[in-house]
Amino acid sequence: MVETEHDVALEDTDRLHGRSALVNNVKAATALAGAVRSTLGPRGLDKMLVEDGGPATVTNDGVTVLEAAKVEHPTARLLISTSSAQDRAARDGTTTTVILTSELLQNALELVRSGVHPSIIMNGYQIALAESLDEMGRISRTPRDDSELRAVVATSISGKVDSAVGRHLTEIAIEAAEELDGEDGGHDLERMRVKRLLIKDGGTLDSEVVRGLVLPKSRMDVASPADSDGGRIAIIDGGMESPELELDASIEVTSTEALRGFHERSRERMREQVDLLASLEIDLLVVRDGIAEDAATMLTDAGITCYRRYDREDLELLSRITGAAMVRDARRVRTEDVGTYTSRSERSYSGVKHTRIDGPEGGAVTVLIRGSSPSVREEVKRAFDDALGVAHRLSRDSRILPGGGGTQTHLARHLRAYAPSQSGREQLAIEAFAAALEIVPRALAENSGLDPIDEILELSAAQAAASEGGAWIGMDVVSGDKVRMDEAGVFDPLFVAHHALAGATEAANSVLRIDDVLWAKQDAQTPDWQSEMED
Ligand code: ADP
Ligand code: MG
């Protein structure tokens, strides 16, 4: 055989082509989905993640499991990033996204085996997606009252925490989300603006929302007042250290005289800074880096209480609630950079001094998350994050759908009726898409110890038999009864279901588009970064 240029170029590469590339990719997706499928739904089981030497994490959260997985396969990585994207955009539906993707791929592989070209499948999947999204919009509605709204948020965390904790987290998530009402911002708005603080003692049910910013910090000089009814605040995004700390090696001390002169000059400079702040009538100063001890004393004498070592993101929140600008250099604070706060107080939580600062601008809250052990607190925090994310997004788009597999079962029935209106082989892909949707009721049934085939058939039949609102019938995972999900209070937000289905279809199609997988071989010439860095 004549060696072409291409073959030479690919000499050091393992190559999987066409069908075997697809088989290999689908295998990876199936394996990954298998790892999270058993967590789906309120009766899903938890996973324990153990890292070498690190503490174990117990979680029911799909994206947490996946992000901890150390997988190399590119298709598996693609699924993980699809799940992460779902987490960022919707905060919920991460497990659903992964199992839907894997199911779409398995059904596509079946079609490829029976001779349907991947491009036809991709096309059919796109048509089915568009039709599904339209249909979801048609069956969705807005919550009728506050208790329905609470039920939507509670559904999103059912299974992650027990129901009493779920109700409590739902309340505080809605309370915190209301603070952000009507504000613009990207996907991470609620994560940036709601400070979550893990507090060591107390039970989970003592978790609470506090207006303002609470941080585990205490004032630098105990001689300054612990509380205040408000005043003027400056924020320094830098430090107020003495110059010797900043440039320690660069001065050469030749005599005690010179040393004294140097100290005096540095004190003088410090004095100038403090005078400037005092002239701006500031009584509260918060600094990102350090503050020199003698500066703290001068500040106290000038009636200014100071705090140091605040993280940048905390300073940003503080800046937002007080209107104070973050100034890099304490010598350059101007009147317009000064903000106002309405109260400051210190108190201990589990033996650690915390300071709370409130501002007139509002718009920032702190959630104190309590729990008996670090792993409980972490899992409660994750559940709270989901609840908050869902509550916040619902305030922008409150349309809801039936949960408990109702939506997916309805869509599957709808697509099967719709498929014949489409041309030739695309019909097969639309039917494959419909069958893939049924993974949701199937996994919910499996995880509840019910028979998945019976459940899907019964659910489908119950929906078809209903004279109206059949789509709203879903599966009660405790009894296995087919009941109206609005009566059972099991709702999924439209934006979660919408994003999950669109994300899964996009991920599946991007795997189907792959015709060739080239694996670079690791050889002796791979640079050894470790030894190069030591050199
Ligand atoms: P995801 O990571 O995809 O959000 P979850 O484990 O949160 O996975 O499970 C979500 C699924 O569980 C949704 O399909 C939702 O409708 C369903 N579900 C939640 N609570 C109930 C319930 N009480 N009865 C039936 N299904 C439920
Ligand atoms: Mg969920």
Side-chain angles (χ1 to χ4, degrees):
M1 200 181 93
V2 186
E3 263 195 354
T4 67
E5 230 175 289
H6 294 89
D7 289 335
V8 174
L10 292 178
E11 203 167 57
D12 288 330
T13 309
D14 280 332
R15 184 170 185 189
L16 279 177
H17 189 66
R19 175 87 60 88
S20 36
L22 183 61
V23 170
N24 179 281
N25 287 336
V26 172
K27 233 190 241 167
T30 311
L32 194 76
V36 292
R37 180 167 168 163
S38 63
T39 69
L40 188 80
R43 304 192 69 192
L45 298 177
D46 291 350
K47 299 275 169 189
M48 180 182 257
L49 312 174
V50 186
E51 273 194 70
D52 271 356
T57 305
V58 175
T59 184
N60 183 280
D61 190 34
V63 73
T64 306
V65 175
L66 293 176
E67 285 176 351
K70 293 204 167 50
V71 292
E72 301 277 332
H73 197 286
T75 304
R77 299 245 45 106
L78 175 82
L79 257 70
I80 294 171
S81 64
T82 305
S83 172
S84 302
Q86 173 77 18
D87 184 47
R88 274 196 307 283
R91 293 286 182 256
D92 195 17
T94 55
T95 309
T96 305
T97 306
V98 172
I99 61 176
L100 275 173
T101 309
S102 137
E103 208 66 12
L104 285 169
L105 283 171
Q106 287 177 49
N107 293 358
L109 181 60
E110 287 299 307
L111 287 182
V112 169
R113 284 192 167 128
S114 61
V116 184
H117 194 268
S119 66
I120 305 269
I121 302 174
M122 287 186 262
N123 197 23
Y125 277 6
Q126 279 305 342
I127 296 170
L129 172 67
E131 184 58 26
S132 300
L133 297 182
D134 283 351
E135 182 65 8
M136 279 200 260
R138 283 192 284 269
I139 61 173
S140 68
R141 65 167 174 80
T142 52
R144 299 216 164 92
D145 52 30
D146 258 16
S147 81
E148 277 198 357
L149 181 71
R150 281 177 165 65
V152 187
V153 177
T155 303
S156 75
I157 54 171
S158 63
K160 296 206 161 57
V161 285
D162 73 47
S163 56
V165 174
R167 275 196 299 278
H168 185 66
L169 292 182
T170 297
E171 289 304 319
I172 61 178
I174 290 176
E175 192 184 338
E178 278 168 358
E179 281 294 304
L180 306 179
D181 259 3
E183 292 200 30
D184 287 338
H187 282 335
D188 282 329
L189 180 75
E190 95 279 9
R191 291 249 163 117
M192 284 173 344
R193 297 279 294 285
V194 177
K195 178 90 197 164
R196 285 139 302 154
L197 209 59
L198 306 186
I199 305 258
K200 226 159 83 196
D201 58 9
T204 313
L205 292 176
D206 301 322
S207 301
E208 59 181 319
V209 177
V210 178
R211 292 197 199 284
L213 181 62
V214 182
L215 290 169
K217 300 280 176 196
S218 57
R219 63 199 189 284
M220 195 177 158
D221 185 356
V222 287
S224 56
D227 300 286
S228 161
D229 293 335
R232 287 162 61 80
I233 173 177
I235 301 177
I236 310 299
D237 185 15
M240 278 182 75
E241 323 252 26
S242 17
E244 64 227 277
L245 286 176
E246 287 164 8
L247 5 127
D248 49 356
S250 61
I251 42 165
E252 217 176 279
V253 180
T254 49
S255 66
T256 49
E257 200 59 26
L259 186 59
R260 194 173 309 128
F262 177 78
H263 274 314
E264 253 154 40
R265 275 197 304 283
S266 95
R267 261 186 84 78
E268 220 156 86
R269 235 175 285 157
M270 208 48 100
R271 157 80 40 218
E272 281 164 19
Q273 288 184 26
V274 174
D275 286 348
L276 168 68
L277 296 172
S279 75
L280 293 167
E281 290 173 0
I282 285 158
D283 62 358
L284 178 59
L285 178 71
V286 179
V287 170
R288 177 163 60 82
D289 294 335
I291 299 178
E293 293 293 336
D294 47 352
T297 314
M298 285 183 209
L299 285 164
T300 306
D301 291 344
I304 301 172
T305 306
C306 59
Y307 288 83
R308 61 180 166 178
R309 307 212 189 284
Y310 267 52
D311 290 339
R312 158 81 48 59
E313 58 183 56
D314 294 333
L315 286 185
E316 277 165 7
L317 268 181
L318 198 57
S319 158
R320 164 138 220 132
I321 61 179
T322 60
M326 292 165 61
V327 183
R328 291 197 76 80
D329 186 339
R331 288 167 300 188
R332 296 213 158 62
V333 183
R334 300 157 307 168
T335 322
E336 57 266 38
D337 300 326
V338 177
T340 52
Y341 67 100
T342 51
S343 77
R344 174 180 62 84
S345 56
E346 292 191 4
R347 69 171 273 197
S348 292
Y349 292 104
S350 67
V352 179
K353 268 273 168 46
H354 283 66
T355 297
R356 164 177 170 185
I357 300 173
D358 276 286
E361 313 274 324
V365 291
T366 306
V367 174
L368 308 180
I369 291 171
R370 294 167 179 271
S372 50
S373 73
S375 64
V376 168
R377 289 192 288 277
E378 285 296 333
E379 186 69 353
V380 168
K381 174 172 175 288
R382 274 193 294 275
F384 172 78
D385 281 355
D386 282 7
L388 173 67
V390 168
H392 169 55
R393 284 162 180 75
L394 279 171
S395 68
R396 296 174 171 185
D397 177 359
S398 66
R399 287 172 294 169
I400 52 175
L401 290 167
T407 298
Q408 293 81 7
T409 304
H410 171 77
L411 290 178
R413 291 194 312 119
H414 177 80
L415 288 175
R416 286 181 183 122
Y418 168 82
S421 71
Q422 296 298 305
S423 65
R425 294 184 166 209
E426 265 93 2
Q427 284 185 25
L428 296 173
I430 296 169
E431 277 159 14
F433 191 99
L437 286 166
E438 288 177 332
I439 185 64
V440 174
R442 194 177 327 141
L444 286 173
E446 277 168 10
N447 294 346
S448 312
L450 301 166
D451 182 88
I453 295 173
D454 289 349
E455 291 302 312
I456 291 173
L457 290 175
E458 279 176 30
L459 182 51
S460 201
Q463 288 196 347
S467 52
E468 59 170 330
W472 278 82
I473 299 176
M475 192 192 320
D476 176 334
V477 290
V478 180
S479 63
D481 290 344
K482 312 301 168 294
V483 291
R484 283 197 61 104
M485 292 288 103
D486 40 356
E487 281 159 22
V490 180
F491 301 102
D492 288 329
L494 175 66
F495 65 80
V496 172
H498 185 291
H499 205 280
L501 197 53
T505 309
E506 192 186 318
N509 277 357
S510 66
V511 173
L512 289 174
R513 210 168 286 127
I514 299 167
D515 178 45
D516 222 349
V517 180
L518 306 175
W519 301 81
K521 278 186 190 156
Q522 301 274 327
D523 60 24
Q525 258 139 55
T526 307
D528 180 356
W529 301 112
Q530 193 58 39
S531 63
E532 277 188 19
M533 265 154 56
E534 278 161 10
D535 281 348

